[in-house]
Amino acid sequence: MINYNYKKGNLIFDDLNIKNITEEIETPFYCYSLNHLKDQYLSLDNSISLKDYEICYAVKSNSNQSIIKNFANMGSGADVVSIGEMKRALKANISPNKIVFSGVGKNSNEIKFALENDILMFNVESVSELKKISSEALLQSKKAPIAIRINPDISAGGNEKISTGKAQDKFGISWKEAYEVYEYASTLNGIEIKGIDAHIGSQINQLEPFSHSFDKLKEITSMLKNKGLKIDIIDVGGGLGVKYKENETPIDVKKYGELLSEKLGELDCKVIIEPGRFLTANAGILVTKILHIKKSDIKNFVIVDAGMNDFIRPTLYGAHHNIIPLKEPEKLENLKCDIVGPVCETGDFFAKDIDLNDINEDDFLAICSTGAYGSVQSSNYNTRASIDELLINNGEYEIIRKRINEDIIIDKDIISKWV
Ligand code: LLP
């Protein structure tokens, strides 16, 4: 959960009175605590005692270049899943030899760009992809460094939409076929086998699935090495969960570090970890203004100016996000309500049947833990603007992405000559 307190009745996040920002910046907006981002990175980094490892920040969780650059400054590499993320990572000073390129659907442009930039490795998800990477590498007179993403058939993750390691999921190559595919890869002239990879899901709050996945990776790595293949890198993916609500107990990151050493420490390989949410989720809040309060016998609605287009996790995954007022409640005047946005969909909500005290129209609310998979999953549905992103640091803030207002969006349309 986010780190906040109230001082003189106002919400303080990273030493900043957030209400002050609302006097200068139009709501809704995202803001991220630099201190929290740094603390999370350090806590993970300090928990790992492997001889050779790399943290490759999963850019998809929050791809703002200031966020990426902060992690680059701390020594991080990047896990990217598109040419866009790769360009962002490179612009934000991530060195190409610390970039891993994941994803089931890499297109030829993306493969070409990644090869031209000499990234650390491709995490390959199909034989078809392997062939295309090899052909492109030969055109560039290179050998493409690859790992095969295996699908270990393990169930893990916050919900089925973010579980990726089951046999029926689209990801990776069945662990049972791994050897065959590696053997085939070794016959391709444009391919250099570097490692092995797995990513089993996201928002994982138990060590057990990780333990199974690491066991599988270890077993297959040993088998491949015994057969004479060179495996230097084991990429264990991301997935570490965070605390979104009071009764949630995420994994103790120290235990995660110990597990890595216990399971993979003796293999003489570099280990790559691809955390996203763990680093960014609780660094962020989405600040929104109450536009209207609509009461009835059946239900009360607090209508805010942020919509599902700005933050889609509650409706897409049924995700819980705490919602707190920027003004500390003075009276115990409880309102049981749904917090909803202005978008014309019943699914446009942030919380259902929650209790808020002493709230009024024109007050502000913070939707908590929105630093991961928040802004990056936003859209312009209903021709709504893309909102500002701010970075806060010891009581100050800076805009790190400017609002893209509706006029710019509208101007992208081209009126057809046929109408
Ligand atoms: N590596 C790979 C290959 C991934 O697919 C992902 C996330 C990560 C690393 C980072 O996982 P994390 O450490 O953040 O759990 N939009 C969803 C989450 C989708 C995760 C997709 N892959 C949500 O809002 O919950």
Side-chain angles (χ1 to χ4, degrees):
M1 294 191 308
I2 68 155
N3 242 332
Y4 72 95
N5 60 313
Y6 286 101
K7 254 190 219 155
K8 296 191 183 140
N10 289 310
L11 183 103
I12 309 292
F13 184 47
D14 204 347
D15 276 346
L16 189 65
N17 177 351
I18 303 299
K19 173 74 180 11
N20 292 347
I21 312 181
T22 63
E23 284 154 23
E24 292 161 3
I25 304 281
E26 192 179 339
T27 54
F29 56 81
Y30 280 99
C31 55
Y32 312 119
S33 153
L34 185 58
N35 280 320
H36 186 86
L37 295 166
K38 287 184 175 166
D39 288 350
Q40 287 300 99
Y41 188 92
L42 283 178
S43 72
L44 178 61
D45 206 14
N46 292 337
S47 77
I48 304 173
S49 55
L50 291 162
K51 270 199 283 260
D52 190 8
Y53 71 95
E54 197 87 71
I55 296 177
C56 288
Y57 168 54
V59 167
K60 64 176 79 65
S61 85
N62 187 322
S63 59
N64 190 290
Q65 286 172 66
S66 291
I67 307 286
I68 305 172
K69 188 156 181 218
N70 164 61
F71 293 133
N73 291 344
M74 300 185 79
S76 184
D79 162 50
V80 301
V81 289
S82 68
I83 191 167
E85 286 192 353
M86 215 175 330
K87 287 182 178 176
R88 278 177 185 272
L90 291 168
K91 277 189 85 176
N93 275 3
I94 301 266
S95 122
N97 64 9
K98 289 186 175 189
I99 294 182
V100 290
F101 188 10
S102 304
V104 288
K106 303 176 189 78
N107 67 35
S108 43
N109 249 349
E110 295 178 312
I111 293 171
K112 184 165 177 279
F113 184 82
L115 280 165
E116 284 165 355
N117 281 280
D118 294 321
I119 62 161
L120 175 60
M121 67 178 187
F122 292 83
N123 286 336
V124 176
E125 306 224 12
S126 62
V127 171
S128 153
E129 185 192 332
L130 203 52
K131 288 183 194 160
K132 288 192 176 148
I133 294 176
S134 177
S135 307
E136 181 56 42
L138 290 175
L139 286 179
Q140 294 189 24
S141 309
K142 287 181 177 169
K143 274 188 180 285
I146 64 106
I148 302 289
R149 174 168 175 178
I150 58 142
N151 182 320
D153 196 14
I154 290 167
S155 175
N159 67 64
E160 68 171 34
K161 285 190 187 138
I162 55 175
S163 155
T164 52
K166 290 284 295 165
Q168 63 266 34
D169 297 331
K170 69 175 174 180
F171 298 98
I173 288 172
S174 164
W175 63 271
K176 296 176 195 150
E177 292 161 24
Y179 176 60
E180 222 176 290
V181 176
Y182 272 100
E183 215 181 16
Y184 175 66
S186 69
T187 66
L188 295 173
N189 289 333
I191 294 293
E192 182 191 0
I193 296 170
K194 276 267 180 198
I196 186 165
D197 165 54
H199 167 80
I200 52 174
S202 197
Q203 184 56 10
I204 301 171
N205 282 338
Q206 299 84 26
L207 268 184
E208 217 189 352
F210 284 119
S211 176
H212 288 157
S213 174
F214 298 172
D215 279 341
K216 206 60 172 178
L217 283 167
K218 183 177 178 177
E219 178 192 322
I220 299 173
T221 301
S222 307
M223 180 267 286
L224 294 171
K225 282 189 170 189
N226 285 338
K227 303 235 184 209
L229 290 159
K230 204 161 164 315
I231 302 289
D232 294 329
I233 301 178
I234 302 180
D235 182 339
V236 299
L240 268 176
V242 298
K243 189 164 174 151
Y244 283 104
K245 54 185 165 196
E246 209 50 67
N247 61 1
E248 222 161 12
T249 355
I251 293 170
D252 174 356
V253 69
K254 286 200 197 91
K255 299 230 163 82
Y256 179 79
E258 283 161 18
L259 188 73
L260 282 172
S261 295
E262 178 197 324
K263 302 283 184 187
L264 307 174
E266 286 160 15
L267 283 175
D268 198 24
C269 288
K270 178 200 275 296
V271 174
I272 289 181
I273 304 117
E274 303 172 348
R277 186 190 313 269
F278 177 82
L279 299 179
T280 52
N282 280 318
I285 55 174
L286 171 58
V287 178
T288 183
K289 183 175 178 170
I290 300 179
L291 298 174
H292 313 288
I293 296 179
K294 188 160 96 166
K295 297 182 181 169
S296 82
D297 302 345
I298 304 169
K299 197 102 181 157
N300 302 312
F301 294 100
V302 170
I303 303 162
V304 295
D305 63 358
M308 66 190 274
N309 69 300
D310 301 306
F311 186 59
I312 202 165
R313 296 199 76 250
T315 189
L316 189 58
Y317 310 116
H320 171 93
H321 288 263
N322 282 350
I323 298 185
I324 50 177
L326 295 198
K327 179 172 69 68
E328 189 172 23
E330 286 165 5
K331 303 175 252 175
L332 276 179
E333 222 173 58
N334 181 270
L335 184 73
K336 189 173 266 316
C337 56
D338 286 7
I339 312 290
V340 300
V343 171
C344 298
E345 299 241 4
T346 303
D348 182 24
F349 65 88
F350 298 112
K352 293 199 160 185
D353 291 321
I354 62 163
D355 294 300
L356 285 180
N357 273 308
D358 191 17
I359 50 158
N360 295 292
E361 285 167 16
D362 296 333
D363 282 356
F364 298 93
L365 300 174
I367 306 175
C368 298
S369 313
T370 48
Y373 306 109
S375 168
V376 285
Q377 296 200 115
S378 65
S379 75
N380 299 112
Y381 186 37
N382 281 195
T383 312
R384 286 168 51 82
S386 294
I387 62 180
D388 283 301
E389 288 178 277
L390 317 178
L391 188 66
I392 56 179
N393 184 28
N394 299 329
E396 290 181 57
Y397 76 88
E398 230 178 35
I399 298 179
I400 57 167
R401 187 185 70 170
K402 281 196 234 144
R403 194 181 160 86
I404 304 170
N405 74 28
E406 57 286 351
D407 296 320
I408 297 172
I409 296 160
I410 294 165
D411 279 351
K412 295 284 175 206
D413 287 4
I414 298 165
I415 309 259
S416 162
K417 64 182 181 214
W418 297 301
V419 296

